[in-house]
Amino acid sequence: MSPALTIRPYSEGALSQAAAKLRAGELVAFPTETVYGLGADATNADAVAGIYAAKKRPSFNPLISHFPDRDAAAKHAVFDARADKLAAAFWPGALTLVLPRQADSDVCDLVTAGLPSIAVRVPAHPMARELLRAVGRPVAAPSANRSGKISPTTAAHVAQSLGNAIGMILDGGPCGVGLESTVIDLTTDRVVMLRPGGVTADQVSELLGTDVVMAESDDTAPKSPGMMTSHYAPGLPVRLEATTADPAKYGHEVLLGFGDCNTKGFDAVLWLSKSGNDIEAAANLFAKLHEADQSHFAGIAIAPIPDKGLGIAINDRLKRASAPRAPHDAK
């Protein structure tokens, strides 16, 4: 029988309890600056298997290991000069590096999906870093939601998606960034962006003095989370680049608005950002998708968002949210 779900606002006692549960092989959801993560001791294969079971996540999809600082991550991942530059510039923060795995790393193979690489991140959220220091082990933590569904930016989103599949949520309030981390693959001579996020390709390219290659979606053997064609999916159908309402064709839709968009004819409007601010839109994206998905409308229409800056990452998430559902997403 699954344990009753406990949601605890941040306190020293709550954090100590969460750390103890993680060290004991239990699952704990906790906040980061990007989205809420579903954490397990990355060195404990049984605990990590619990992540896949709770999320109903395909086991060929690797997980990100989280650390309190760069030196802790370097015990498990091989850093070259490029990785050190990126870590110095963007850690702690919303950047994940896929690096060669250290030969003596005790992170279990289920975390890395059997690959010779490991995805590592140092989150910026102070509660997350305090928790990671208290655990004293790498913590594998994908987003705390059912696989393929909308990512959670509040403790309530986690509870709604996972319920008693997990035992504890450490509640740190809404996430500030609202989009998952950028993922950069440095396992070859090329610099490859596996998933766009708040750290842009231009920033990486300028820092490293080299081009950044954008990876294609991979539904069979992804090197990082967020590469599946269908991901972040609401239950309602999603229509992108919606400039006009058409109830006869699409039914009665709720519009996610951005900037100076056309709202005429839509039954309701939820604003990502009235001012057209991509940072505000990113922070609101998953919360507004959750809200729209709980409505009585036939679908969700998305106003056009310029494909530049943080808009690239927003559009990446929306494209995957609107994609045809993969078989495991239909469960």
Side-chain angles (χ1 to χ4, degrees):
M1 181 179 294
S2 300
L5 175 62
T6 299
I7 302 176
R8 292 200 62 183
Y10 172 76
S11 67
E12 289 187 7
L15 191 134
S16 295
Q17 181 186 11
K21 284 181 174 291
L22 287 167
R23 288 194 299 270
E26 298 182 43
L27 303 182
V28 174
F30 63 95
T32 75
E33 74 278 18
T34 56
V35 298
Y36 272 72
L38 179 59
D41 177 357
T43 68
N44 182 331
D46 289 339
V48 174
I51 289 178
Y52 287 96
K55 285 178 62 68
K56 302 188 183 302
R57 179 187 180 99
S59 59
F60 58 78
N61 198 353
L63 305 175
I64 296 170
S65 294
H66 293 71
F67 300 88
D69 52 53
R70 181 262 181 210
D71 289 345
K75 295 177 181 178
H76 299 271
V78 179
F79 281 68
D80 61 13
R82 301 173 301 171
D84 279 330
K85 281 186 178 180
L86 289 171
F90 299 113
W91 278 359
L95 176 69
T96 294
L97 298 177
V98 177
L99 304 173
R101 182 176 171 179
Q102 292 280 13
D104 61 351
S105 170
D106 58 355
V107 168
C108 69
D109 288 342
L110 196 54
V111 171
T112 62
L115 297 170
S117 57
I118 182 170
V120 296
R121 181 164 97 91
V122 176
H125 198 295
M127 189 185 304
R129 296 181 72 198
E130 189 176 351
L131 177 64
L132 293 168
R133 283 191 290 267
V135 175
R137 302 169 191 169
V139 172
S143 57
N145 57 282
R146 296 288 185 187
S147 183
K149 302 303 180 183
I150 308 170
S151 296
T153 56
T154 67
H157 293 160
V158 179
Q160 179 185 5
S161 186
L162 295 179
N164 288 345
I166 60 175
M168 180 178 179
I169 302 172
L170 191 61
D171 187 355
C175 298
V177 175
L179 286 178
E180 295 87 352
S181 60
T182 297
V183 181
I184 298 292
D185 179 12
L186 297 177
T187 57
T188 69
D189 291 340
R190 300 190 311 164
V191 177
V192 182
M193 180 170 284
L194 301 180
R195 180 176 72 186
V199 178
T200 67
D202 287 343
Q203 288 176 298
V204 174
S205 179
E206 181 178 356
L207 183 67
L208 299 183
T210 187
D211 292 336
V212 175
V213 179
M214 301 300 295
E216 299 292 332
S217 297
D218 191 334
D219 291 331
T220 57
K223 292 188 75 173
S224 110
M227 294 185 69
M228 307 287 284
T229 304
S230 175
H231 206 52
Y232 318 107
L236 294 177
V238 175
R239 180 166 68 97
L240 303 182
E241 300 288 331
T243 56
T244 58
D246 190 345
K249 185 175 182 179
Y250 300 110
H252 295 281
E253 296 174 307
V254 54
L255 174 71
L256 295 195
F258 181 86
D260 188 23
C261 64
N262 176 32
T263 62
K264 185 177 180 180
F266 290 99
D267 288 68
V269 180
L270 299 175
W271 286 98
L272 297 176
S273 174
K274 280 190 176 183
S275 64
N277 183 292
D278 58 0
I279 296 175
E280 181 184 19
N284 287 333
L285 177 61
F286 289 134
K288 295 304 180 183
L289 279 172
H290 275 285
E291 185 176 348
D293 201 34
Q294 295 170 24
S295 70
H296 62 278
F297 297 109
I300 303 170
I302 312 291
I305 297 172
D307 204 37
K308 60 182 181 180
L310 201 52
I312 294 173
I314 295 170
N315 286 325
D316 170 79
R317 304 308 192 272
L318 290 171
K319 180 180 178 182
R320 296 177 195 277
S322 66
R325 305 295 192 257
H328 68 273
D329 290 336
K331 295 179 180 178

